[in-house]
């Protein structure tokens, strides 16, 4: 249950954001409704997100895996729900994506580069970042500096999104229901490791 009303005053900024959200995603996203209580915050976040969407140095699949690992690590159910839907929209293999939250127990499903990206995203998401020089060197060597900077920035952006949404108590809106993903939870999280392999 959200910790803030999802029925904010209908400012001009909220009406524009709601129209765009309905048009692009089929519904008004709860983070927009929550931010609608402060039109200046909503406007700044909307502008920022529109600029983030134009970053193109990093492979979209790697970028998305980094975002999903970050959201999973923070425990933002809204971001994970939406992330599965986005993965499906990007044409990513859902049989692989469902294992992202439990990637450490299913390493064999991912490429070496994907594993490096997920390890980096988790290390950067720790309350005291745990990024190492070796991790950085290897990623720069494989991705190049522009893509590495973008990877670092997108993990920070997803930390921002996930921490706000989790603090506001936002939960999934059913986006992942549209792609029928069956996520696999990491062992020890909620006492289960998720559904068995089919």
């Amino acid at each position: 249950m959200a910790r803030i009303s999802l029925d904010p005053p209908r400012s001009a900024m909220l009406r524009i954001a709601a129209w765009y959200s309905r048009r692009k995603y089929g519904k008004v996203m709860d983070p927009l409704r929550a931010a609608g209580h402060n039109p200046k915050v909503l406007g700044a976040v909307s502008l920022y997100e529109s600029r983030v969407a134009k970053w193109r140095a990093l492979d979209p699949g790697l970028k998305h895996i980094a975002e999903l690992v970050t959201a999973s690590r923070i425990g933002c159910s809204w971001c994970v729900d939406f992330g599965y839907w986005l993965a499906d929209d990007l044409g990513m293999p859902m049989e692989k994506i469902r294992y992202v939250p439990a990637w450490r127990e299913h390493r064999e499903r991912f490429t070496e580069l994907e594993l490096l990206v997920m390890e980096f995203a988790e290390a950067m998401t720790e309350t005291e970042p745990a990024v190492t020089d070796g991790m950085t060197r290897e990623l720069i060597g494989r991705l190049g500096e522009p893509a590495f900077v973008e990877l670092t920035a997108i993990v920070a952006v997803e930390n921002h999104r996930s921490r706000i949404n989790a603090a506001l108590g936002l939960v999934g809106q059913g986006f992942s229901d549209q792609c029928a993903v069956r996520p696999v939870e990491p062992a020890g999280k909620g006492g289960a490791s998720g559904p068995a392999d089919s």
Side-chain angles (χ1 to χ4, degrees):
M1 174 75 96
R3 296 183 179 113
I4 188 168
S5 161
L6 297 178
D7 188 23
R10 303 255 324 140
S11 67
M13 178 57 68
L14 180 60
R15 286 195 303 274
I16 292 167
W19 171 83
Y20 178 79
S21 181
R22 263 191 230 92
R23 185 170 167 252
K24 185 155 177 95
Y25 306 111
K27 60 179 98 176
V28 180
M29 298 190 298
D30 286 349
L32 293 177
R33 292 179 199 267
H37 288 284
N38 187 320
K40 288 185 179 181
V41 169
L42 177 59
V45 169
S46 297
L47 179 61
Y48 182 64
E49 287 288 354
S50 72
R51 301 269 168 88
V52 168
K54 294 178 182 175
W55 296 350
R56 298 281 186 262
L58 180 62
D59 172 80
L62 292 175
K63 184 184 300 188
H64 193 69
I65 285 173
E67 290 173 301
L68 198 50
V69 164
T70 301
S72 297
R73 184 72 174 170
I74 290 171
C76 177
S77 67
W78 192 93
C79 298
V80 171
D81 173 54
F82 186 62
Y84 284 130
W85 180 83
L86 278 178
D88 190 50
D89 193 52
L90 286 169
M92 298 177 76
M94 298 312 287
E95 261 311 303
K96 181 180 202 171
I97 294 303
R98 65 184 277 227
Y99 289 96
V100 169
W103 69 272
R104 289 187 181 278
E105 290 103 20
H106 302 279
R107 298 175 74 82
E108 72 284 354
R109 296 183 176 275
F110 300 97
T111 67
E112 189 177 331
L113 182 54
E114 289 168 341
L115 291 169
L116 285 167
V117 165
M118 291 186 290
E119 181 180 27
F120 179 80
E122 271 193 1
M124 199 176 147
T125 300
E126 293 297 321
T127 299
E128 184 175 327
V131 173
T132 66
D133 291 343
M135 190 184 292
T136 302
R137 269 192 308 276
E138 189 159 0
L139 281 166
I140 290 172
R142 288 170 159 263
L143 298 173
E145 289 175 337
F148 176 74
V149 169
E150 188 169 315
L151 171 62
T152 304
I154 201 65
V155 172
V157 167
E158 188 55 42
N159 263 272
H160 176 249
R161 294 173 184 142
S162 292
R163 290 181 188 277
I164 288 173
N165 293 342
L168 293 175
L170 303 182
V171 296
Q173 277 186 262
F175 283 101
S176 61
D177 296 343
Q178 298 173 37
C179 58
V181 68
R182 291 180 3 213
V184 175
E185 291 290 327
K189 190 173 185 179
S193 61
D197 291 307
S198 353

